[in-house]
Amino acid sequence: MLLTVDNKLKKIVVIGDRVLIRLSKTGERTQSGLYLPPGVQEREKVQQGYVIKTGPGYAIPMPVENEPWKTDEEQVKYIPLQVREGDLAIFLLNGATEVLYEGEKYYIVPQGAILMLERDDEL
């Protein structure tokens, strides 16, 4: 399969309560008019970016009962995340893990490190 812009992230599976975020392009200029290099902006304690993919959520523990009538095919159940794909998330950088995938920088962030979401309900 040839990877394109549209399908290059389809192979990624996010686990548990984690979220894959791409940083948004913020203004490179401070309020006083100074231009900051990208490295300075990336070291801020709070960052914002768009949610690209989400994990299934928090796993609900299965009972350990050994019932002979139960099938072995029972599915794991999850409590879904509040975050959705396309949301603008403001998150704590110290709770995030930076990864490089296909030459682009992404952050894997647990839902607990996300402070606020901006959601466009029309999407």
Side-chain angles (χ1 to χ4, degrees), residues 23 26 35-48 91-96 98 105 107:
L23 288 182
T26 58
Y35 286 95
L36 297 174
V40 172
Q41 293 175 349
E42 292 173 359
R43 285 193 293 265
E44 293 289 326
K45 292 182 181 180
V46 177
Q47 290 287 339
Q48 69 178 7
F91 63 96
L92 294 171
L93 191 59
N94 63 355
E98 181 181 316
K105 189 184 300 185
Y107 288 91

Side-chain angles (χ1 to χ4, degrees), residues 59-100:
I60 299 174
M62 297 288 288
V64 189
E65 302 168 2
N66 193 5
E67 305 282 341
W69 52 269
K70 285 189 176 180
T71 63
D72 292 334
E73 300 175 11
E74 290 194 35
Q75 298 291 324
V76 176
K77 295 184 169 95
Y78 293 94
I79 298 173
L81 298 178
Q82 190 174 6
V83 178
R84 293 187 213 153
E85 292 180 12
D87 288 348
L88 177 67
I90 297 175
F91 63 96
L92 294 171
L93 191 59
N94 63 355
T97 303
E98 181 181 316
V99 293
L100 277 171

